[in-house]
Amino acid sequence: MTALKKATGDVVLKFEPFILHVLCRELQDAQLLHSVAIDSGFRNSGITVGRGGKITMAVRSTHCLEVPLSHKGRLMVSEEYIEFLVHVANQKMEENI
């Protein structure tokens, strides 16, 4: 809160979703991993095959959060709301784990 109150520009609280890239030897391996990821709740997961035949499986979470807190140095939300957002972000981190 101390740093936020001293800010002179725009401040955004941002929580990025979990992403794990796995290089797979065979397409079947990537498909199996993709099925496991989807069944585990990682709905944004996908498979990419590069020009050289490199097969990459990306396990991606949907847990993201981006909330503006201040604009041009003016705090736009209450301290109570910031505490709530931190709690939500921490819950999302636990879900990633």
Side-chain angles (χ1 to χ4, degrees):
M1 285 306 301
T2 302
L4 185 58
K5 289 176 183 174
K6 293 179 182 178
T8 58
D10 294 351
V11 176
V12 175
L13 175 69
K14 189 171 186 179
F15 179 86
E16 295 283 346
F18 168 81
I19 301 173
L20 173 68
H21 291 101
V22 180
L23 187 60
C24 299
R25 290 184 184 176
E26 303 289 332
L27 184 57
Q28 295 84 353
D29 299 331
Q31 289 170 327
L32 176 61
L33 181 56
H34 182 259
S35 294
V36 170
I38 295 296
D39 291 344
S40 297
F42 295 100
R43 296 183 302 268
N44 287 347
S45 299
I47 300 170
T48 304
V49 179
R51 290 182 185 168
K54 183 168 78 169
I55 303 165
T56 304
M57 170 42 207
V59 180
R60 294 188 191 105
S61 168
T62 58
H63 305 303
C64 61
L65 179 69
E66 187 170 350
V67 182
L69 302 177
S70 72
H71 179 65
K72 296 182 181 177
R74 180 171 175 251
L75 189 59
M76 305 300 290
V77 297
S78 69
E79 186 171 343
E80 180 183 4
Y81 186 64
I82 293 169
E83 289 173 6
F84 169 73
L85 291 174
V86 169
H87 177 73
V88 169
N90 286 336
Q91 282 181 318
K92 290 177 181 293
M93 180 61 82
E94 286 297 319
E95 290 175 23
N96 276 341
I97 292 170

